[in-house]
Amino acid sequence: MARFATNRWTSAIVPALLIHIPIGTVYCWSVFKQLIADELGASPSSVEWAFSLAIFFLGMSAAFAGPMVERNIKRSALTSMICFVVGFAGTGASIALHFLPGVFICYGAIMGVGLGVGYLTPVKNLMLWFADNKGLATGIAVAGFGLAKAIASPVMEWLIGTVGLVNMFYVLAAVYATMMLVGFLIIRRPAGWTYDPATSHVSRRTILTKPVFWGIWIAFYLNITCGLALISQEKDILHDVLQALPRYSGLDQSALATAIAGIIGLVLAVDAVFNAAGRVGFSTLSDHLKRRESVYQVIFVMSIAVCLLQIVLNSIGNALLWAILAMLFLVNAGYGGGFSTLPVLLDQHFGTKTVSTTHGLTLSAWAFAGLSGNQLASFVVTHAPDQAHRYAALIPVLTVLYVVALASITFVKVRGGRVDEAATVTAKSAAVGKAA
């Protein structure tokens, strides 16, 4: 047992995955969204608020849970498990009772708190155990959150067809409770680490007054907003493009719908792979760069390039499937990479001791992006002057936002470099004075 307790994979990586894989199933919302609307006799747009609330409560609970995670990782892991499982099972009960507000409360608020606390819980622990490869460690764990959709979606569809929608929630609530309970039991800090209130406490007000924090916050917010805006329209873009291809244009409606559904399902699965690969790849890359901001610069330059490619080629209007797939896959990789690289970027600027607090505060950007991303895309598409090519109107908007994000993270890099140079000069001066 002592050997087990000192193993960083069983004390950090495995529990992180056992917590992140269940909570990552929040992105399986599209699997049962329409079914919930049909069961409750509500419009899909009204039911959609449950997902938006879940992401909002995820970000805001993370913003306030940082100090709790710093003090007691066991307590935060248990809190996450209870809130997530109760919210997930409560969603099934609310559907059974045909009570739409219950879905908002359980899936949106209660489960959302479990998401936020659970997302934050393993991060600092990974950085403590893998001090030599912080980016790789956080990337592996956060990849579990990204891969959860690919793993759980077919399982959910099978359970819905076998035991029904409501029972699917009950069965998976039991499975996720078991996984997260094991994660709670085995997660632990490295031997010798103790919580020191004097060094671990940081004033949120102090953080919020720092321009570097807001530069990171804006870049992170825009990356999520653009990613969600594109992902939310992905199925519709693919549907229109595939319908315009000669290979499918001659099919009858039934055969066309079947073919398109199969291709879209495949594309969404590959999306999840790119998302997870981006989480591991970009965070690992950050371990080998002098400045962690460079990874975000790579992500934004890549995203701008693929968006400009769509504009130059008019790929949506001309049904250039290869170009559209390149954009979807690379934006998904950058979207995932932005999440996994964030903790080590904050560690670079604010230190490991307070990373749970600073990470939590920055995740509030996720809360607001969850509300704005889909709505931005819907607004642009709905008000496009040329409705025949309405999805193409979204790409220039995303390009501009990515440019702003690139400017924001470049500001952080320049500002951080100056601070580091000043600190180096001060340290050298102090060393010279001491020697004298």
Side-chain angles (χ1 to χ4, degrees):
M1 287 299 294
R3 185 177 180 182
F4 180 81
T6 57
N7 187 301
R8 60 183 184 173
W9 288 87
T10 54
S11 297
I13 291 287
V14 172
L17 291 172
L18 288 172
I19 294 171
H20 269 205
I21 289 176
I23 66 176
T25 57
V26 66
Y27 281 128
C28 296
W29 171 251
S30 61
V31 171
F32 45 78
K33 172 183 68 176
Q34 185 62 53
L35 296 175
I36 294 177
D38 295 341
E39 187 72 23
L40 300 183
S43 66
S45 59
S46 62
V47 172
E48 189 71 48
W49 276 102
F51 178 77
S52 295
L53 286 170
I55 299 301
F56 179 78
F57 275 89
L58 184 163
M60 297 312 295
S61 62
F64 289 96
M68 177 178 69
V69 177
E70 291 281 358
R71 288 192 300 270
N72 193 326
I73 194 174
K74 288 284 190 180
R75 182 181 299 170
S76 65
L78 183 61
T79 300
S80 170
M81 182 196 75
I82 293 172
C83 290
F84 180 78
V85 172
V86 169
F88 199 82
T91 302
S94 299
I95 297 169
L97 295 171
H98 292 83
F99 185 52
L100 181 58
V103 176
F104 296 153
I105 294 170
C106 293
Y107 195 92
I110 299 175
M111 197 183 88
V113 172
L115 294 172
V117 178
Y119 189 89
L120 197 60
T121 292
V123 173
K124 178 175 178 176
N125 197 47
L126 288 161
M127 296 172 71
L128 292 173
W129 278 99
F130 291 81
D132 50 342
N133 289 293
K134 295 177 181 179
L136 172 62
T138 56
I140 291 174
V142 176
F145 192 95
L147 274 176
K149 180 179 179 180
I151 297 169
S153 291
V155 175
M156 288 180 171
E157 290 175 350
W158 179 78
L159 283 173
I160 290 170
T162 305
V163 301
L165 177 64
V166 172
N167 288 329
M168 180 274 291
F169 279 98
Y170 296 154
V171 170
L172 288 182
V175 172
Y176 294 150
T178 303
M179 292 175 65
M180 297 181 78
L181 178 61
V182 174
F184 156 73
L185 292 174
I186 66 175
I187 195 170
R188 54 180 50 82
R189 299 292 198 194
W193 184 92
T194 55
Y195 172 72
D196 182 0
T199 58
S200 296
H201 174 73
V202 59
S203 167
R204 291 191 183 95
R205 182 175 296 179
T206 300
I207 295 172
L208 294 175
T209 59
K210 294 183 179 296
V212 165
F213 170 80
W214 287 108
I216 295 172
W217 194 98
I218 290 169
F220 184 61
Y221 165 77
L222 290 175
N223 191 45
I224 301 174
T225 296
C226 291
L228 290 178
L230 185 60
I231 292 167
S232 67
Q233 304 301 313
E234 191 171 23
K235 288 185 178 181
D236 294 322
I237 293 173
L238 289 171
H239 184 278
D240 283 6
V241 170
L242 292 171
Q243 201 168 24
L245 293 177
R247 181 178 177 180
Y248 301 101
S249 58
L251 299 177
D252 60 55
Q253 288 300 312
S254 177
L256 176 65
T258 302
I260 289 177
I263 293 171
I264 290 175
L266 176 62
V267 171
L268 294 180
V270 177
D271 272 348
V273 173
F274 270 86
N275 188 304
R279 290 171 188 255
V280 177
F282 283 116
S283 60
T284 302
L285 175 62
S286 73
D287 285 333
H288 303 282
L289 297 175
K290 183 178 180 181
R291 303 289 309 180
R292 307 272 186 179
E293 299 94 340
S294 299
V295 171
Y296 275 95
Q297 289 179 314
V298 172
I299 289 172
F300 295 141
V301 169
M302 177 184 71
S303 301
I304 292 167
V306 293
C307 287
L308 288 175
L309 182 67
Q310 314 309 308
I311 297 171
V312 172
L313 299 178
N314 188 23
S315 57
I316 296 178
N318 293 327
L320 299 177
L321 184 60
W322 67 269
I324 293 167
L325 291 179
M327 175 180 67
L328 295 177
F329 294 157
L330 292 178
V331 166
N332 265 284
Y335 177 81
F339 280 102
S340 61
T341 308
L342 179 64
V344 288
L345 174 60
L346 292 167
D347 171 52
Q348 177 180 277
H349 286 278
F350 299 100
T352 304
K353 290 184 179 296
T354 59
V355 75
S356 293
T357 300
T358 54
H359 190 205
L361 283 174
T362 314
L363 288 178
S364 64
W366 195 358
F368 292 102
L371 296 177
S372 64
N374 293 10
Q375 285 76 2
L376 169 67
S378 178
F379 178 84
V380 172
V381 169
T382 302
H383 293 84
D386 182 6
Q387 281 296 300
H389 303 93
R390 58 191 181 278
Y391 298 111
L394 180 62
I395 309 304
V397 176
L398 299 184
T399 305
V400 171
L401 294 180
Y402 276 128
V403 169
V404 175
L406 177 61
S408 184
I409 203 64
T410 300
F411 160 78
V412 173
K413 185 176 182 178
V414 172
R415 183 74 175 253
R418 289 174 180 172
V419 171
D420 289 349
E421 288 177 5
T424 301
V425 171
T426 300
K428 287 182 178 179
S429 299
V432 170
K434 187 176 181 180

